[in-house]
Amino acid sequence: MKLFVYHTPELTPTDQVPDCAIVLDILRATTTIATALNAGAEAIQAFSDMEKLMQVSEQWPPEKRLRAGERGGAMVAGCDLGNSPLDCTPERVQGRRLFISTTNGTRALQCVQNAPIVLATAFINRLATVKYILAQQPETVWFVGSGWEGSFSLEDTACAGAIAHSLQEKLDVPLNELAGNDEVIGAIALYSQWKDQLLQLFHHASHGKRLLRLDCHEDLKYCAQTDILDVLPIQKEPGVLVKA
């Protein structure tokens, strides 16, 4: 097995696909997706384009859909939800399809949608991801961070490091055999330094600061929890994620 970390969609190769792609947008799209499926959402359908989201979701009965739109950390006008995982309660999402478009995470999903296996992962469902990878044993695994508008983000890379660290321990192989690029070693080092202080790391991160300015303190606390959900969002068809 070879692991590769790509910090943003823009840095992800376009001329090949991995056996398995793990999309990370810790603050907050992949955390929200995992939370919504855990709370009983029928599926999550991701869009990079807000207009397309509105068109497609219009074909669903209002009682069976929820539109979740976020730009710059704030909710998009005309949507039912923004991008807060705390809004994805069973009362709100049970049996409904969540149509979601966010600043960064949905673009990351789109850039690897042709891979045979596409997973959406966050700290909250890290262990479910590790178990799945160990069971499936894909030869190549790409971690695709969402970053922020094309730039590196601490939280996505730390989560890639958390998963890579666990895989190395469980597979019991030397790091230089597992790491397909230097970024994997950097991600593990970042996670190892901050694993007991993830919330503090989020407070240092540029997107964490952006969310704090929007009074999303509770979101950051929730997103910093590790292994609290045993749910794994997996792509069923391009752009559509269901529980594995």
Side-chain angles (χ1 to χ4, degrees):
M1 189 186 297
K2 281 281 186 194
L3 310 181
F4 298 82
V5 170
Y6 299 104
H7 296 309
T8 65
E10 292 78 5
L11 291 170
T12 305
T14 54
D15 58 346
Q16 54 185 302
V17 293
D19 297 311
C20 175
I22 299 173
V23 175
L24 306 157
D25 186 5
I26 312 311
L27 300 176
R28 298 164 287 173
T30 54
T31 304
T32 297
I33 288 166
T35 303
L37 287 174
N38 189 67
E42 174 261 332
I44 312 294
Q45 193 159 349
F47 298 83
S48 53
D49 179 65
M50 205 62 225
E51 204 173 308
K52 186 87 188 288
L53 180 153
M54 290 298 187
Q55 286 171 2
V56 174
S57 62
E58 200 58 46
Q59 297 157 24
W60 286 67
E63 70 277 6
K64 288 287 181 187
R65 71 173 186 230
L66 280 170
R67 292 163 169 162
E70 170 267 321
R71 290 293 182 271
M75 186 169 100
V76 174
C79 287
D80 307 295
L81 306 167
N83 187 22
S84 173
L86 301 181
D87 290 337
C88 296
T89 59
E91 299 77 30
R92 199 150 196 200
V93 305
Q94 183 98 40
R96 292 174 147 188
R97 178 167 293 213
L98 196 66
F99 295 88
I100 187 168
S101 181
T102 71
T103 310
N104 306 292
T106 46
R107 287 188 308 114
L109 281 163
Q110 197 168 43
C111 88
V112 288
Q113 66 181 16
N114 294 326
I117 302 170
V118 179
L119 309 173
T121 295
F123 278 107
I124 59 168
N125 67 333
R126 179 198 67 107
L127 188 56
T129 307
V130 171
K131 286 179 182 171
Y132 183 88
I133 297 296
L134 291 171
Q136 296 295 320
Q137 292 284 323
E139 281 186 33
T140 53
V141 179
W142 290 4
F143 296 94
V144 179
S146 300
W148 177 264
E149 296 183 344
S151 60
F152 172 89
S153 70
L154 285 168
E155 65 279 0
D156 294 347
T157 301
C159 191
I163 300 163
H165 177 71
S166 272
L167 289 172
Q168 191 204 350
E169 280 190 338
K170 303 262 198 270
L171 292 166
D172 195 24
V173 294
L175 184 54
N176 63 349
E177 280 183 27
L178 196 61
N181 62 2
D182 288 1
E183 288 88 335
V184 174
I185 296 163
I188 291 172
L190 179 67
Y191 170 68
S192 298
Q193 182 173 342
W194 289 93
K195 62 185 178 183
D196 299 320
Q197 298 175 293
L198 289 175
L199 184 57
Q200 287 92 321
L201 177 68
F202 291 2
H203 280 244
H204 286 298
S206 58
H207 191 37
K209 290 175 182 173
R210 199 174 288 112
L211 291 171
L212 287 170
R213 289 195 293 273
L214 293 166
D215 289 329
C216 296
H217 299 78
E218 295 305 315
D219 276 25
L220 261 63
K221 283 186 198 169
Y222 178 80
C223 295
Q225 296 177 95
T226 303
D227 305 335
I228 60 166
L229 299 184
D230 188 26
V231 63
L232 186 59
I234 188 167
Q235 183 175 260
K236 180 176 76 164
E237 58 191 77
V240 179
L241 297 146
V242 296
K243 273 165 103 168

Coordinates of all heavy atoms in Angstrom, one line a residue, residues 148-194:
W148 N -8.1 26.0 1.7 CA -9.0 27.2 1.7 C -8.7 28.0 0.4 O -7.6 28.6 0.3 CB -8.8 28.0 2.9 CG -9.7 29.3 2.8 CD1 -9.3 30.5 2.4 CD2 -11.1 29.4 3.1 NE1 -10.4 31.4 2.4 CE2 -11.5 30.7 2.8 CE3 -12.0 28.4 3.6 CZ2 -12.8 31.1 3.0 CZ3 -13.3 28.9 3.7 CH2 -13.7 30.2 3.5
E149 N -9.6 27.9 -0.5 CA -9.4 28.6 -1.8 C -8.0 28.4 -2.4 O -7.4 29.4 -2.8 CB -9.7 30.1 -1.6 CG -11.2 30.3 -1.2 CD -11.6 31.8 -1.0 OE1 -10.7 32.6 -1.0 OE2 -12.8 32.0 -1.0
G150 N -7.6 27.2 -2.4 CA -6.3 26.8 -3.1 C -5.1 26.8 -2.2 O -4.0 26.4 -2.7
S151 N -5.3 27.2 -0.9 CA -4.1 27.2 -0.1 C -4.2 26.1 1.0 O -5.3 25.7 1.4 CB -3.9 28.6 0.6 OG -5.0 28.9 1.3
F152 N -3.0 25.8 1.6 CA -2.8 24.7 2.6 C -3.7 25.0 3.8 O -3.8 26.2 4.2 CB -1.3 24.7 2.9 CG -1.0 23.9 4.1 CD1 -0.6 22.5 3.9 CD2 -0.9 24.4 5.4 CE1 -0.2 21.7 5.0 CE2 -0.5 23.6 6.4 CZ -0.2 22.3 6.2
S153 N -4.2 23.9 4.4 CA -4.9 24.1 5.7 C -4.3 23.1 6.7 O -4.2 21.9 6.4 CB -6.4 24.0 5.6 OG -6.8 22.7 5.3
L154 N -4.0 23.5 7.9 CA -3.5 22.7 9.0 C -4.4 21.5 9.3 O -3.9 20.4 9.5 CB -3.2 23.6 10.2 CG -2.1 24.5 10.3 CD1 -2.2 25.5 11.5 CD2 -0.7 23.8 10.3
E155 N -5.7 21.8 9.5 CA -6.6 20.8 10.0 C -6.7 19.6 9.1 O -6.8 18.4 9.5 CB -7.9 21.4 10.4 CG -8.7 22.0 9.2 CD -8.3 23.4 8.8 OE1 -7.4 23.9 9.3 OE2 -9.0 23.9 7.8
D156 N -6.8 19.8 7.7 CA -7.0 18.7 6.8 C -5.7 17.8 6.8 O -5.8 16.6 6.8 CB -7.2 19.2 5.4 CG -8.6 20.0 5.3 OD1 -9.4 19.8 6.2 OD2 -8.8 20.6 4.3
T157 N -4.5 18.5 6.8 CA -3.3 17.7 6.8 C -3.1 17.0 8.1 O -2.6 15.8 8.1 CB -2.1 18.7 6.5 OG1 -2.3 19.4 5.3 CG2 -0.8 18.0 6.5
A158 N -3.5 17.6 9.2 CA -3.4 16.8 10.5 C -4.2 15.6 10.5 O -3.8 14.5 11.0 CB -3.8 17.8 11.6
C159 N -5.4 15.7 9.9 CA -6.3 14.5 9.8 C -5.7 13.4 8.9 O -5.8 12.2 9.2 CB -7.7 14.9 9.4 SG -8.9 13.6 9.6
A160 N -5.2 13.8 7.8 CA -4.5 12.9 6.9 C -3.4 12.2 7.7 O -3.2 10.9 7.6 CB -3.9 13.6 5.7
G161 N -2.6 12.9 8.5 CA -1.6 12.4 9.3 C -2.1 11.4 10.4 O -1.5 10.4 10.7
A162 N -3.3 11.7 11.0 CA -3.9 10.9 12.0 C -4.2 9.5 11.4 O -4.0 8.4 12.0 CB -5.1 11.5 12.5
I163 N -4.8 9.5 10.2 CA -5.1 8.2 9.5 C -3.9 7.5 9.1 O -3.7 6.3 9.3 CB -6.0 8.5 8.3 CG1 -7.3 9.2 8.8 CG2 -6.4 7.2 7.6 CD1 -8.1 9.8 7.6
A164 N -2.9 8.2 8.5 CA -1.7 7.6 8.0 C -0.9 7.0 9.2 O -0.3 5.9 9.1 CB -0.8 8.6 7.3
H165 N -0.9 7.7 10.3 CA -0.2 7.2 11.5 C -0.8 5.9 12.0 O -0.1 4.9 12.3 CB -0.3 8.3 12.6 CG 0.3 7.9 13.9 ND1 1.6 7.8 14.1 CD2 -0.3 7.6 15.1 CE1 1.9 7.5 15.4 NE2 0.7 7.3 16.0
S166 N -2.1 5.8 12.0 CA -2.8 4.6 12.5 C -2.5 3.4 11.5 O -2.3 2.3 11.9 CB -4.3 4.8 12.5 OG -4.7 5.3 13.8
L167 N -2.6 3.7 10.2 CA -2.3 2.7 9.2 C -0.9 2.2 9.3 O -0.7 0.9 9.3 CB -2.5 3.2 7.8 CG -4.0 3.5 7.4 CD1 -4.1 4.2 6.1 CD2 -4.8 2.2 7.4
Q168 N 0.0 3.0 9.6 CA 1.4 2.6 9.7 C 1.6 1.6 10.9 O 2.2 0.6 10.9 CB 2.4 3.7 9.8 CG 3.9 3.3 9.7 CD 4.8 4.2 10.4 OE1 4.5 5.3 10.8 NE2 6.1 3.8 10.5
E169 N 0.9 2.0 12.0 CA 1.0 1.2 13.3 C 0.4 -0.1 13.0 O 0.9 -1.2 13.4 CB 0.2 1.9 14.4 CG 1.1 3.0 15.1 CD 0.4 3.5 16.3 OE1 -0.8 3.4 16.5 OE2 1.1 4.1 17.2
K170 N -0.8 -0.2 12.4 CA -1.6 -1.4 12.2 C -0.9 -2.3 11.2 O -0.9 -3.5 11.3 CB -3.0 -1.1 11.8 CG -3.8 -0.2 12.8 CD -4.6 -1.0 13.7 CE -5.7 -0.2 14.4 NZ -5.3 0.4 15.7
L171 N -0.4 -1.7 10.1 CA 0.3 -2.5 9.1 C 1.7 -2.9 9.5 O 2.2 -3.9 8.9 CB 0.3 -1.7 7.8 CG -1.0 -1.5 7.1 CD1 -0.9 -0.4 6.0 CD2 -1.6 -2.7 6.5
D172 N 2.3 -2.2 10.5 CA 3.6 -2.5 11.0 C 4.6 -2.5 9.9 O 5.4 -3.5 9.7 CB 3.6 -3.8 11.8 CG 4.8 -4.0 12.6 OD1 5.4 -3.0 13.0 OD2 5.2 -5.1 12.9
V173 N 4.6 -1.5 9.0 CA 5.6 -1.4 8.0 C 6.4 -0.1 8.2 O 5.9 0.9 8.8 CB 4.9 -1.3 6.6 CG1 4.3 -2.7 6.3 CG2 4.0 -0.2 6.4
P174 N 7.7 0.0 7.7 CA 8.4 1.2 7.8 C 7.8 2.3 7.0 O 7.1 2.1 6.0 CB 9.8 0.8 7.1 CG 9.8 -0.7 7.1 CD 8.4 -1.1 7.0
L175 N 7.9 3.5 7.6 CA 7.3 4.7 7.0 C 7.7 4.9 5.6 O 6.9 5.3 4.7 CB 7.5 5.9 7.9 CG 6.9 7.3 7.4 CD1 5.4 7.1 7.3 CD2 7.2 8.4 8.4
N176 N 9.0 4.7 5.3 CA 9.4 5.0 3.9 C 8.8 4.0 2.9 O 8.8 4.3 1.7 CB 11.0 5.0 3.8 CG 11.6 3.6 4.2 OD1 10.9 2.7 4.7 ND2 12.9 3.5 3.9
E177 N 8.3 2.8 3.3 CA 7.6 1.9 2.4 C 6.2 2.4 2.2 O 5.6 2.1 1.1 CB 7.6 0.5 3.0 CG 8.9 -0.2 2.8 CD 8.8 -1.7 3.4 OE1 7.7 -2.3 3.4 OE2 9.9 -2.2 3.8
L178 N 5.6 3.0 3.2 CA 4.2 3.4 3.1 C 4.0 4.7 2.4 O 3.0 4.9 1.7 CB 3.6 3.4 4.5 CG 2.1 3.4 4.7 CD1 1.4 2.2 4.1 CD2 1.7 3.6 6.2
A179 N 4.9 5.6 2.7 CA 4.8 7.0 2.2 C 5.1 7.1 0.7 O 6.2 6.8 0.3 CB 5.7 8.0 3.0
G180 N 4.1 7.6 -0.1 CA 4.3 7.7 -1.5 C 4.9 9.1 -1.9 O 5.5 9.3 -2.9
N181 N 4.7 10.1 -1.0 CA 5.3 11.4 -1.2 C 5.7 12.0 0.2 O 5.3 11.5 1.2 CB 4.4 12.3 -2.0 CG 3.0 12.6 -1.3 OD1 2.8 12.2 -0.2 ND2 2.2 13.4 -2.0
D182 N 6.5 13.1 0.1 CA 7.0 13.7 1.3 C 5.9 14.2 2.2 O 6.0 14.3 3.5 CB 7.9 14.9 1.0 CG 9.3 14.4 0.4 OD1 9.5 13.2 0.3 OD2 10.1 15.3 0.1
E183 N 4.8 14.6 1.6 CA 3.7 15.2 2.3 C 3.1 14.2 3.4 O 2.6 14.7 4.4 CB 2.6 15.6 1.4 CG 2.9 16.9 0.6 CD 3.6 16.6 -0.7 OE1 4.3 15.5 -0.8 OE2 3.6 17.4 -1.6
V184 N 3.2 12.9 3.1 CA 2.7 11.9 4.1 C 3.5 12.1 5.4 O 3.0 12.1 6.5 CB 2.8 10.5 3.5 CG1 2.4 9.5 4.6 CG2 1.9 10.4 2.3
I185 N 4.8 12.1 5.3 CA 5.7 12.2 6.4 C 5.5 13.5 7.2 O 5.4 13.6 8.4 CB 7.2 12.1 6.0 CG1 7.4 10.7 5.4 CG2 8.1 12.4 7.2 CD1 8.7 10.5 4.6
G186 N 5.3 14.6 6.4 CA 4.9 15.9 7.1 C 3.6 15.9 7.8 O 3.5 16.4 8.9
A187 N 2.6 15.2 7.2 CA 1.3 15.1 7.8 C 1.3 14.3 9.1 O 0.7 14.7 10.1 CB 0.3 14.4 6.9
I188 N 2.1 13.2 9.1 CA 2.2 12.4 10.4 C 2.9 13.2 11.4 O 2.5 13.2 12.6 CB 3.0 11.1 10.1 CG1 2.1 10.2 9.2 CG2 3.3 10.4 11.4 CD1 2.7 8.9 8.7
A189 N 4.0 14.0 11.1 CA 4.7 14.8 12.0 C 3.8 15.9 12.6 O 3.8 16.1 13.8 CB 5.9 15.4 11.3
L190 N 3.0 16.5 11.8 CA 2.0 17.5 12.3 C 1.0 16.9 13.2 O 0.8 17.5 14.3 CB 1.3 18.2 11.1 CG 0.2 19.2 11.4 CD1 0.9 20.5 12.0 CD2 -0.6 19.6 10.2
Y191 N 0.5 15.8 12.9 CA -0.5 15.2 13.8 C 0.2 14.7 15.1 O -0.4 15.0 16.2 CB -1.1 13.9 13.1 CG -1.9 13.1 14.1 CD1 -3.1 13.5 14.6 CD2 -1.5 11.8 14.5 CE1 -3.8 12.8 15.5 CE2 -2.2 11.1 15.4 CZ -3.4 11.5 15.9 OH -4.1 10.8 16.8
S192 N 1.4 14.2 15.0 CA 2.1 13.7 16.2 C 2.3 14.9 17.2 O 2.2 14.7 18.4 CB 3.4 13.0 15.9 OG 3.1 11.9 15.0
Q193 N 2.6 16.0 16.7 CA 2.8 17.2 17.5 C 1.6 17.7 18.2 O 1.6 18.2 19.3 CB 3.5 18.3 16.8 CG 3.8 19.5 17.6 CD 4.6 20.6 16.9 OE1 5.2 20.3 15.9 NE2 4.6 21.8 17.5
W194 N 0.4 17.6 17.5 CA -0.8 18.3 18.0 C -1.9 17.3 18.4 O -3.0 17.8 18.7 CB -1.3 19.2 16.9 CG -0.5 20.4 16.7 CD1 0.5 20.6 15.8 CD2 -0.5 21.6 17.4 NE1 1.1 21.8 15.9 CE2 0.5 22.5 16.9 CE3 -1.4 22.1 18.4 CZ2 0.7 23.8 17.4 CZ3 -1.2 23.4 18.9 CH2 -0.2 24.2 18.4

